[in-house]
Amino acid sequence: MKRAFVLSGGANMGCAQVGMLKALFEHNITPDILIGTSVGALNAAAVASNPTLEGVAELEELWRSLTSGDIFPGGTLTRAWNIVKRGAFLVDNTGLAKVIERATSIRTIEDLQLPIRIVACDLKTGEEIVLCRGPLKEALLASAALPGVFPPITHDDRILVDGGVVDAVPIWHALSDDIDEIFILNVSGGGLLKNLRTPLDVMTRSFSISRTLRFDIELRNDHKHDIYVLPKPTDKRELYDFNDSGRLIDEAYKQTYAYLDENRLPKIKKKSIFAKLFK
């Protein structure tokens, strides 16, 4: 059996993927390949650097220690100044780069212990770009470069931004004949309408609607693989808020552990997908 883990984008909800990964590894369910977008690519790279329960524990320690200031240094004044001077982004990616360095010390994608596919978007052409070789940090910065928030990344004569623009849950990269099981760690989707508080919340929620529909179509059209969509906790925080990550890690861990125990890995029923996605 060859197994793929697909890790979605989801900004600060990336912490929930750590709880999912912990439950999977404790059940001896480990990946042969990882596919990730945005924050999911960062988590996937950390796992591919050390694909053991100890490696997941190190990633958990990182997420539990993260603060909003780690990701978005400079605060409100800096973001306001970037708007005034008509910059192309709100926040410099130096904080994000430091988090990537804490997550993995591997420099090139080829040196990871497991193969990985990192999804980004070409800002000029709108193409979905898959990075599977070359500098790791630059690939992760590109995949997580939320448009208007972080600066785009120039890579191989392309201008790359967040992979979630085109594919928040990149399941189709796992739909190959040599893969038997696919585990989807989907934490994308944004908040409910009543929880939207900022223009950025509105933007990310709007993007998530179309991306969720693409995910559903790809999921329904596959008839060859055993696909498992893991449960995710509810999050009412704003995009910039990294407080309470520990609680969400614990909640995702408990939900996933119970799912694996009680359901014993049942194959997702195609007819129930809409109910599961929009519940």
Side-chain angles (χ1 to χ4, degrees):
M1 297 286 287
K2 288 198 67 175
R3 188 177 294 128
F5 283 8
V6 178
L7 290 83
S8 76
N12 52 358
M13 268 299 287
C15 61
Q17 291 177 339
V18 179
M20 298 173 183
L21 288 165
K22 183 178 179 181
L24 286 165
F25 273 76
E26 288 187 0
H27 279 78
N28 292 317
I29 300 172
T30 58
D32 296 290
I33 185 172
L34 297 117
I35 302 148
T37 290
S38 195
V39 69
L42 185 149
N43 287 334
V47 172
S49 299
N50 184 5
T52 64
L53 193 55
E54 290 75 16
V56 174
E58 293 173 359
L59 181 61
E60 179 180 0
E61 182 179 357
L62 169 61
W63 269 101
R64 287 184 182 274
S65 69
L66 280 183
T67 66
S68 300
D70 291 328
I71 308 294
F72 305 107
T76 304
L77 183 60
T78 298
R79 294 193 290 272
W81 173 243
N82 284 335
I83 294 175
V84 169
K85 72 178 184 179
R86 297 184 179 181
F89 55 90
L90 294 177
V91 186
D92 191 271
N93 63 11
T94 53
L96 181 58
K98 291 179 180 178
V99 172
I100 291 172
E101 292 169 358
R102 291 170 61 186
T104 175
S105 60
I106 303 298
R107 294 183 178 274
T108 61
I109 298 174
E110 297 93 321
D111 289 334
L112 294 168
Q113 293 190 38
L114 291 177
I116 186 173
R117 303 291 181 265
I118 298 171
V119 178
C121 172
D122 187 322
L123 194 58
K124 289 183 177 180
T125 66
E127 292 177 89
E128 183 172 342
I129 305 300
V130 180
L131 303 168
C132 55
R133 63 179 64 87
L136 177 59
K137 184 167 72 172
E138 286 74 7
L140 295 176
L141 286 173
S143 184
L146 185 64
V149 178
F150 292 117
I153 300 297
T154 301
H155 181 75
D156 286 343
D157 296 323
R158 296 180 182 271
I159 299 177
L160 301 180
V161 295
D162 197 309
V165 172
V166 288
D167 202 352
V169 192
I171 179 176
W172 76 273
H173 298 288
L175 303 180
S176 63
D177 292 336
D178 62 340
I179 296 295
D180 302 294
E181 291 183 330
I182 303 172
F183 287 81
I184 300 175
L185 289 68
N186 181 17
V187 296
S188 67
L192 299 175
L193 186 60
K194 64 181 180 180
N195 296 321
L196 301 181
R197 300 183 181 92
T198 69
L200 191 57
D201 290 337
V202 175
M203 179 187 72
T204 54
R205 176 57 182 163
S206 298
F207 284 149
S208 75
I209 294 171
S210 61
R211 295 193 305 250
T212 300
L213 290 175
R214 172 176 175 172
F215 168 54
D216 177 67
I217 291 171
E218 292 177 349
L219 200 59
R220 285 190 295 117
N221 287 341
D222 178 69
H223 303 284
K224 297 180 180 179
H225 303 85
D226 289 335
I227 301 177
Y228 311 107
V229 182
L230 302 183
K232 67 178 179 180
T234 301
D235 183 22
K236 297 182 179 181
R237 302 172 302 168
E238 295 182 359
L239 181 66
Y240 290 103
D241 186 3
F242 280 76
N243 295 320
D244 219 21
S245 291
R247 179 188 65 81
L248 290 165
I249 290 172
D250 293 339
E251 187 175 340
Y253 168 74
K254 292 176 182 178
Q255 289 178 340
T256 302
Y257 203 99
Y259 173 87
L260 298 176
D261 273 352
E262 296 171 9
N263 295 285
R264 301 192 64 83
L265 306 183
K267 188 172 183 178
I268 295 297
K269 295 181 180 179
K270 307 299 180 183
K271 64 181 180 180
S272 66
I273 288 171
F274 269 109
K276 289 178 178 294
L277 285 174
F278 298 103
K279 183 178 180 181

